[in-house]
Amino acid sequence: MTSTSAPSTTLASYGWDQGWADAFAPHLADGLLPGRVVRVDRGQCDVVTADGTVRADTAFVTPHDPMRVVCTGDWVAVDPGGNPRYVRAYLPRRTAFVRSTSSKRSEAQILAANVDHAVVAVSLAVELDLGRVERFLALAWESGAQPVVVLTKADLVPDPVTLAHLVQDVETSAPGVPVLTVSALHGEGLDELVELVGSGTSVLLGQSGAGKSTLANALVGADVMDVRAARDIDGKGRHTTTTRNLLALPSGGVLIDTPGLRGVGLFDAEDGVGQVFSEIEELAERCRFHDCAHETEPGCAVRSAVDSGELPTRRLESYHKLMRENQWIVAKSDARLRADIRDDWRRKQAAGRAAGEAKRSGRL
Ligand code: GDP
Ligand code: ZN
């Protein structure tokens, strides 16, 4: 197969579909080669193409905006001639994981592109921290990917009733998110995960120790690992097989696993936070004030849902915490917003003082 003909099934196993083919058409007409970035390293990237993995320089597509830096998961157009080879363009991203201090500024760092499923690994070996789960879900929604929670190490919770309660707790904190339970040790629940990540591109998120590597190994399979080890021995392809951050899974689907993504926290995820707490956002539509903070405002539908027991207090507290945290992260690099928040805080303090004084002087 030549570089200008339609790409082979190799690319399909990396997620190439009709949509990408359509988007790539003008580049194909220019004689460029389609491929997916499996690794980026200081201005160079490894790209899987129908002709195998090639190394290409990203100088042409790396202007000053860090959001426009080629990243793992991008579909790119490589100039097949030339030495070095150059990436000439990348296709518009469907989704993106971004680490950023503010979406309005150019300090964002793009971590992975074109991710369909964000698998949030949560260990059942330690006490459930629902706030942490919500945080990862916010990040996932924000990227545009569909989150899924995988409760790992289920073998450590042998009592089925306890397990069912834990699953239910997570489900209440994750509207619209499938919750799976797996034990990599016993190989239980993996089929469902394999099926879910069997189409599209997935990433693994979660705290250190949550079981991500174990899941990755289970998904990638011993066969692939063996192949990689064998390649290492003869010294060939070490560069492209052992350090790539994007792998085609043997039973379909693609897995992206980068150090950057593993350490990611909550950044710039206000919309994502809203989606994690969709039931709160729905209630908020019935608050008397459209900018209700659900704190002390009269006619607050959210607080009355808490009072009636419809909404757990913990959910509202977690929502407030993530919203505040997110605001501060954004504000850190945005002086104007920071000033707004400070003024707002001062107003609230003053209002609180005035209310206190009024109360004391018997006017309320
Ligand atoms: P990561 O830091 O998220 O990549 O977590 P790891 O995959 O390295 O797993 C952390 C620890 O949990 C390791 O000691 C694993 O052996 C253990 N672990 C992973 N999956 C399971 C499981 O299904 N059952 C049990 N009992 N232990 C597990
Ligand atoms: Zn309200």
Side-chain angles (χ1 to χ4, degrees), residues 16-268:
W16 182 259
D17 59 24
Q18 193 55 49
W20 294 123
D22 292 346
F24 197 82
H27 301 303
L28 199 63
D30 286 345
L32 300 177
L33 191 64
R36 194 162 192 195
V37 175
V38 296
R39 178 171 180 269
V40 180
D41 179 30
R42 277 163 289 163
Q44 302 277 313
C45 62
D46 291 333
V47 182
V48 275
T49 73
D51 294 348
T53 303
V54 300
R55 173 148 278 217
D57 193 296
T58 64
F60 275 102
V61 283
T62 306
H64 305 299
D65 182 354
M67 285 297 291
R68 298 189 54 210
V69 171
V70 167
C71 75
T72 302
D74 267 327
W75 284 100
V76 294
V78 180
D79 194 340
N83 188 18
R85 290 190 184 89
Y86 283 101
V87 172
R88 291 286 167 181
Y90 67 83
L91 300 184
R93 292 165 181 149
R94 291 180 186 169
T95 70
F97 273 89
V98 178
R99 164 178 287 170
S100 127
T101 49
S102 165
S103 57
K104 286 132 212 116
R105 309 174 101 220
S106 54
E107 289 142 17
Q109 182 196 357
I110 179 128
L111 299 173
N114 304 316
V115 175
D116 302 292
H117 312 286
V119 178
V120 179
V122 179
S123 169
L124 289 171
V126 293
E127 202 185 333
L128 265 186
D129 182 343
L130 294 174
R132 181 176 285 131
V133 176
E134 286 159 344
R135 172 187 308 249
F136 278 113
L137 291 177
L139 186 74
W141 284 122
E142 185 73 15
S143 76
Q146 163 71 46
V148 50
V149 173
V150 176
L151 301 174
T152 63
K153 317 188 197 183
D155 51 280
L156 298 177
V157 187
D159 176 29
V161 178
T162 311
L163 186 61
H165 277 133
L166 292 170
V167 171
Q168 200 174 34
D169 282 352
V170 175
E171 279 173 345
T172 330
S173 305
V177 178
V179 179
L180 309 181
T181 310
V182 307
S183 165
L185 190 71
H186 296 163
E188 275 163 11
L190 287 169
D191 290 353
E192 231 179 316
L193 182 62
V194 166
E195 193 184 325
L196 196 121
V197 304
S199 66
T201 299
S202 303
V203 294
L204 287 166
L205 303 174
Q207 217 196 350
S208 174
K212 295 181 298 296
S213 308
T214 310
L215 284 180
N217 285 337
L219 290 172
V220 170
D223 289 344
V224 175
M225 297 311 264
D226 285 346
V227 169
R228 294 168 86 190
R231 288 253 199 114
D232 279 354
I233 292 160
D234 68 17
K236 279 183 210 152
R238 175 175 264 272
H239 225 69
T240 51
T241 55
T242 60
T243 59
R244 62 170 52 180
N245 295 321
L246 182 150
L247 289 164
L249 299 172
S251 43
V254 175
L255 184 68
I256 293 181
D257 187 11
T258 72
L261 259 176
R262 284 192 159 214
V264 85
L266 182 71
F267 302 92
D268 232 14

Side-chain angles (χ1 to χ4, degrees), residues 287 292 294 300:
C287 292
C292 183
H294 326 305
C300 173

Side-chain angles (χ1 to χ4, degrees), residues 251-294:
S251 43
V254 175
L255 184 68
I256 293 181
D257 187 11
T258 72
L261 259 176
R262 284 192 159 214
V264 85
L266 182 71
F267 302 92
D268 232 14
E270 188 165 332
D271 292 345
V273 173
Q275 265 174 292
V276 176
F277 298 92
S278 55
E279 87 276 31
I280 296 183
E281 304 256 298
E282 256 168 53
L283 285 164
E285 282 169 23
R286 302 206 302 270
C287 292
R288 185 177 306 163
F289 303 111
H290 78 94
D291 60 347
C292 183
H294 326 305

